[in-house]
Amino acid sequence: MTRAALVVALSLLPAVAQANPQQEPRSRRHGLTLKFPDLRGLPMVPEIDFPDIDVDVDLPGLMAQNDFDLDDDDDADSRDSETQRRDRGRRDQDGEERDADGNRVKVYKLNPQPSIRLPRVHLGDDDSRDRDREATGRARGSGSATLEVRGPVTFQVRAQSGEIEVVASDRQQVSVTLTGAPAEEIALYAYGDRVEPSFRGRRTLRRGKLRVELPRGSRLDLSSMSGDVTAQRLGEVRIRTMSGQVKLSGVGKADVQTISGDARIDDSTGPVRLHTVSGKAVVSTSGNAPQVEFQSASGSLDWSGLCAKDCHLSAETVSGELRLLVDPRSSFELSYSSHSGELRDEMNLAVKHAPRRHGGMMSSGFLEATYGRGEGIIEADAFSGSVTVKKK
């Protein structure tokens, strides 16, 4: 039985700097900057959806510790002791804590902080003997394997570490090759249009670099702890990773969730859903109606593309920066809310609603503006992060 422990320590909410209420916005000629000192609510932090999730992490001063199960029969119960649970419950109920000398301290929490539930990932090798007997097709080899298929498939793989590269080809076959590790038996099992690899009888890649070729239009479904992932020209990609780097190019649809890994998605032709805790995201979309959803705690987003009719870009972050590089042919409405961030306008937006001033103080943290005919929608929420909108 093998067990790995991973400590996730993230500092997600830096000190919030209050905006200077006396500072006037700069002229549009040099870019317009609007500061927002007041916002009632905090934007939603992302829920990272992995299999077998069970870790609580509180903001700010975020630190979590979790055991990641790598064995098939290990229990997935919480590692918190019963004493710790009782202490937390007692403190929440009576609002009292103890100082260093053991004296009671009454605590009044006016604004409970939001929390992120970080995942527990079970990447153990399930007993797959019964499933292997149900396979509709199989292929084996030493260091590589090739399985003939009838068309696009869903390739499902999970990895503890190592690199995975997935590309599309015009051949009606699934081909895998493992390098950077001792030659070992590799098997491919088909269950209808779903294909899964096996490495010396294990369903989890533990090391090395795996190159995968799939028929054009196939789908990738991948779960990883720390391995890097690249994929090109696939129909759909679903990735769940802890700290691995993700690079996608020319995919039809992308659904990526990561904790600390960075993600880069180039030339996406379909919807993009990207949730991260602290990773940086770079996204470029093609077409005039991209659908992009980004959520993060401290991660930043760099997006570039055309936003016109039926476009919808939604970006939420607590302390990360949002940078939007917009094609000048775009036409959209922009809404932006923040507590202490700023909006830098380098596109000469037509502002419809801006924070009002009373006695030199801004009374609202919400802004609405239009570019062109206002056909698409861009929504940006950044609690203490800033947003920059500029021409591509």
Side-chain angles (χ1 to χ4, degrees), residues 321-342:
E321 302 293 313
L322 304 176
R323 291 174 286 269
L324 311 180
L325 193 61
V326 184
D327 189 302
R329 297 172 297 168
S330 296
S331 171
F332 59 87
E333 287 190 354
L334 169 71
S335 64
Y336 170 54
S337 59
S338 180
H339 175 74
S340 60
E342 65 179 29

Side-chain angles (χ1 to χ4, degrees), residues 197-352:
S198 174
F199 310 93
R200 296 182 62 185
R202 300 189 180 97
R203 296 288 173 152
T204 301
L205 176 67
R206 296 178 181 268
R207 57 180 174 172
K209 180 176 181 178
L210 184 69
R211 178 179 170 82
V212 183
E213 291 187 11
L214 303 176
R216 196 173 302 277
S218 293
R219 179 178 185 267
L220 173 64
D221 188 350
L222 182 146
S223 299
S224 173
M225 287 185 65
S226 61
D228 295 342
V229 180
T230 62
Q232 301 177 34
R233 304 187 306 276
L234 297 180
E236 184 176 345
V237 174
R238 179 183 182 274
I239 295 177
R240 303 292 185 265
T241 181
M242 300 292 292
S243 60
Q245 310 298 304
V246 177
K247 294 182 180 180
L248 309 179
S249 177
V251 299
K253 181 180 180 180
D255 182 355
V256 178
Q257 297 190 20
T258 176
I259 292 182
S260 61
D262 296 339
R264 184 181 186 96
I265 303 176
D266 292 325
D267 193 27
S268 175
T269 59
V272 173
R273 180 173 180 262
L274 181 54
H275 290 190
T276 177
V277 176
S278 63
K280 177 182 178 180
V282 178
V283 178
S284 66
T285 55
S286 58
N288 61 357
Q291 307 292 310
V292 179
E293 175 189 316
F294 173 76
Q295 289 187 357
S296 179
S298 65
S300 62
L301 169 67
D302 287 8
W303 171 81
S304 64
L306 174 67
C307 182
K309 184 179 180 181
D310 297 326
C311 158
H312 189 188
L313 170 63
S314 173
E316 299 181 9
T317 181
V318 178
S319 61
E321 302 293 313
L322 304 176
R323 291 174 286 269
L324 311 180
L325 193 61
V326 184
D327 189 302
R329 297 172 297 168
S330 296
S331 171
F332 59 87
E333 287 190 354
L334 169 71
S335 64
Y336 170 54
S337 59
S338 180
H339 175 74
S340 60
E342 65 179 29
L343 170 66
R344 181 174 178 82
D345 171 20
E346 299 184 19
M347 293 191 66
N348 196 24
L349 300 174
V351 177
K352 298 193 301 183

